[in-house]
């Protein structure tokens, strides 16, 4: 069935002791080797991530998609390898790795399942927000259980009437003694269950953000408007007044459930606010800069796997009495796919280093990388499906799932149209 194709992909991506990676066995593959340019340490955790993707994710990817299973146990196994808090500081259970290290890991994991890795990237972003903007008490309370993935995090920013215009939030948070009373709703939020342990939400004090075994929310000062009126709160599972909408039916990303988050006189302790009142929008945007690198990295993994699938299909599929690989047009197409993949990878890794170094051009470079990588990688996966012909449209073949799962990457973490706006603004204000 559909799972057989994914099992074959897992075998291809796997690496056993003393054996070179599958893409190192043929000349065309060496030029897209994602280990090129990495340190020996980075190659080691890249190998761990590829092995985990091949053994724990790729064989189950189609089943998770078809049955819409959230693979809690698999994610907790990933956390045991340090993937639950990759760029969270070690004193609260994180791995303390760099943004470039994180990109390398997410790219490798996505070859096994884009949807599950994308959720993991969101979880990591939420954990980093608490680690970076939370006080010591908040860090010690929330981060260890997030890094171990005993608890799962979600991020709530989008509202029914607020998408790309993230500063126009309507969810309100009004101060009442030692609590904020939240009213409003968030949409398109990844939630592990109807009763998540925590949620990040942005609201306007009235704005909010959400996490699964904890919840992060942003609120604005009473009556505040625009970005300066937004703050960030963490909501914990079981908070009275916190409820969830129906599970949404999606084209892809089916291993992570998506629901609306609803606040009805939801009381959240003031102690759960991250940063100061009015700092929420800044926190959200800083989180999204890294989120753009993360989601671009997930696209790289899908594109890399799709190039391998297309290459192997061309070698075995015969038409007009010879393998498709002998067709020069298809050779050119494959060469262009490989070239776009390597270019996208280099751009993403450059942006990751800029973000790590807190460079002045980091925001623009993250936007460029997200724009370029998600567009190009979707085109690569789509072309790989085309090379499979009608078979590529069957769910027995993994390439169609890569296409479905990464299509949304051009929309979330800021649409690619917004990425163009950010880059243009950077150029015109120079």
């Amino acid at each position: 069935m559909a799972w057989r194709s994914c099992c074959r992909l897992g075998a291809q991506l796997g690496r056993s002791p003393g054996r070179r990676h599958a893409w190192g066995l043929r000349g065309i593959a060496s030029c897209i080797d994602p280990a090129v340019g990495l340190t020996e340490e980075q190659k080691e955790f890249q190998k761990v991530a590829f092995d985990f993707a091949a053994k724990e994710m790729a064989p189950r990817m189609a089943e998770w998609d078809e049955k819409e299973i959230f693979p809690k146990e698999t994610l907790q196994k990933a956390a045991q390898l340090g993937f639950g808090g990759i760029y969270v500081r070690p004193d609260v259970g994180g791995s303390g790795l760099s943004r470039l290290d994180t990109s390398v890991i997410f790219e490798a994991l996505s070859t096994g399942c884009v949807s599950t890795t994308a959720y993991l990237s969101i979880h990591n972003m939420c954990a980093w927000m608490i680690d970076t903007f939370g006080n010591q008490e908040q860090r010690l309370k929330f981060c260890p259980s997030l890094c171990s993935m005993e608890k799962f995090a979600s991020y709530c920013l989008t509202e029914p009437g607020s998408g790309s215009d993230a500063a126009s939030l309507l969810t309100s948070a009004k101060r009442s003694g030692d609590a904020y009373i939240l009213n409003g709703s968030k949409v398109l939020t990844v939630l592990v269950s109807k009763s998540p342990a925590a949620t990040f939400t942005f609201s306007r004090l009235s704005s909010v953000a959400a996490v699964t075994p904890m919840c992060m929310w942003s609120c604005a000062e009473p009556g505040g408007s625009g970005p300066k009126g937004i703050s960030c709160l963490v909501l914990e599972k079981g908070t009275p007044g916190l409820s969830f909408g129906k599970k949404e039916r999606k084209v892809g990303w089916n291993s992570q459930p998506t629901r609306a988050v609803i606040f009805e006189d939801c009381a959240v302790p003031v102690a759960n606010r991250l940063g100061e009142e009015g700092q929420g929008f800044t926190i959200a945007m800083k989180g999204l800069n890294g989120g753009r690198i993360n989601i671009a990295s997930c696209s790289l993994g899908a594109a890399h796997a799709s190039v391998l699938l297309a290459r192997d299909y061309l070698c075995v599929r015969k038409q007009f009495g010879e393998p498709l690989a002998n067709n020069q047009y298809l050779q050119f197409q494959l060469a262009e796919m490989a070239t776009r993949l390597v270019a996208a990878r280099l751009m993403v890794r450059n942006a990751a280093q800029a973000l790590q170094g807190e460079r002045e051009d980091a925001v623009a470079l993250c936007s460029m990388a997200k724009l370029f990588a998600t567009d190009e990688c979707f085109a690569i996966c789509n072309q790989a499906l085309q090379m499979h012909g009608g078979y590529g449209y069957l769910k027995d073949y993994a390439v169609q799932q890569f296409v479905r799962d990464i299509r949304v990457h051009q929309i979330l973490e800021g649409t690619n149209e917004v990425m163009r706006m950010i880059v243009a603004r950077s150029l015109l204000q120079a």
Side-chain angles (χ1 to χ4, degrees):
M1 298 298 296
W3 309 326
R4 288 200 295 269
S5 174
C6 293
C7 288
R8 290 194 294 271
L9 174 62
Q12 181 185 41
L13 294 172
R15 190 191 320 208
S16 58
R19 177 178 173 273
R20 295 178 64 195
H21 227 310
W23 58 72
L25 298 178
R26 299 178 183 176
I28 187 174
S30 62
C31 65
I32 61 169
D33 187 346
V36 171
L38 301 182
T39 66
E40 290 305 313
E41 182 181 23
Q42 288 169 333
K43 290 177 183 178
E44 282 303 311
F45 54 68
Q46 182 188 59
K47 176 185 182 301
V48 170
F50 269 122
D51 285 349
F52 187 84
K55 297 172 184 176
E56 301 289 342
M57 299 173 76
R60 301 173 177 86
M61 145 174 130
E63 180 183 12
W64 294 340
D65 174 72
E66 184 174 330
K67 298 182 180 179
E68 299 187 358
I69 296 170
F70 179 77
K72 177 181 176 182
E73 293 77 14
T74 300
L75 285 166
Q76 290 175 334
K77 286 182 181 180
Q80 292 174 9
L81 299 174
F83 298 157
I86 300 173
Y87 47 107
V88 172
R89 285 172 283 181
D91 65 310
V92 287
S95 298
L97 297 180
S98 71
R99 296 287 187 165
L100 175 56
D101 301 336
T102 304
S103 175
V104 169
I105 290 169
F106 285 149
E107 178 181 355
L109 291 176
S110 287
T111 60
C113 181
V114 172
S115 172
T116 303
T117 304
Y119 169 73
L120 186 61
S121 79
I122 296 169
H123 175 91
N124 269 264
M125 179 176 68
C126 295
W128 172 83
M129 285 181 169
I130 297 177
D131 182 42
T132 302
F133 298 101
N135 57 37
Q136 187 65 2
E137 182 180 351
Q138 291 168 332
R139 293 179 67 244
L140 292 173
K141 178 181 178 181
F142 295 126
C143 288
S145 57
L146 286 177
C147 292
S148 67
M149 299 198 81
E150 173 190 346
K151 297 181 178 180
F152 298 91
S154 300
Y155 179 87
C156 302
L157 180 62
T158 301
E159 295 184 357
S162 172
S164 294
D165 184 8
S168 64
L169 303 178
L170 295 178
T171 299
S172 66
K174 297 182 179 180
R175 182 74 176 261
S176 177
D178 60 356
Y180 292 111
I181 307 301
L182 303 182
N183 282 284
S185 63
K186 301 290 177 175
V187 296
L188 304 177
T189 302
V190 177
L191 294 167
V192 176
S193 69
K194 284 191 175 182
S195 300
T199 308
F200 271 106
T201 184
F202 296 90
S203 73
R204 192 163 294 292
L205 229 79
S206 289
S207 282
V208 198
V211 186
T212 293
M214 301 154 219
C215 295
M216 258 282 195
W217 310 84
S218 7
C219 330
E221 297 179 2
S225 63
K228 294 182 179 179
I230 296 173
S231 303
C232 189
L233 304 171
V234 178
L235 268 70
E236 300 180 70
K237 180 178 179 178
T239 301
L242 173 64
S243 62
F244 307 95
K246 67 178 179 65
K247 184 178 177 181
E248 302 289 356
R249 299 175 63 222
K250 306 192 297 292
V251 172
W253 271 30
N254 288 318
S255 70
Q256 42 172 302
T258 300
R259 302 175 185 274
V261 182
I262 303 162
F263 316 107
E264 298 175 300
D265 292 329
C266 182
V268 183
V270 172
N272 280 27
R273 186 190 68 226
L274 285 191
E276 301 299 324
E277 286 189 359
Q279 194 182 357
F281 189 78
T282 298
I283 293 172
M285 294 303 103
K286 286 185 178 292
L288 287 177
N289 287 332
R292 288 161 186 161
I293 295 299
N294 294 344
I295 213 65
S297 302
C298 292
S299 295
L300 291 174
H304 186 92
S306 295
V307 169
L308 296 182
L309 290 171
R311 178 200 65 185
D312 289 352
Y313 185 81
L314 294 182
C315 290
V316 299
R317 174 68 167 169
K318 290 186 177 181
Q319 288 290 281
F320 307 105
E322 60 181 347
L324 291 178
N326 291 350
N327 183 292
Q328 190 179 58
Y329 174 78
L330 294 177
Q331 292 174 6
F332 285 1
Q333 288 288 311
L334 192 63
E336 289 181 9
M337 291 160 65
T339 301
R340 296 203 298 266
L341 169 61
V342 173
R345 180 182 293 136
L346 292 173
M347 183 171 280
V348 171
R349 292 182 179 181
N350 178 55
Q353 291 175 313
L355 186 61
Q356 184 70 32
E358 299 181 347
R359 283 167 35 188
E360 184 180 355
D361 59 353
V363 174
L365 289 176
C366 288
S367 299
M368 287 180 179
K370 194 267 184 182
L371 165 64
F372 187 81
T374 58
D375 277 354
E376 292 300 319
C377 290
F378 177 77
I380 291 168
C381 294
N382 196 43
Q383 183 60 46
L385 187 154
Q386 185 73 17
M387 287 178 166
H388 280 71
Y391 288 112
Y393 204 63
L394 302 180
K395 288 194 174 181
D396 288 343
Y397 289 78
V399 66
Q400 53 75 33
Q401 188 172 335
F402 285 120
V403 172
R404 288 188 292 109
D405 279 344
I406 73 164
R407 177 59 182 87
V408 74
H409 295 187
Q410 295 166 288
I411 299 171
L412 49 78
E413 309 292 33
T415 66
N416 284 6
E417 290 73 24
V418 170
M419 297 304 98
R420 291 176 172 89
M421 291 169 57
I422 293 172
V423 174
R425 186 184 305 130
S426 175
L427 290 168
L428 295 171
Q429 292 178 348

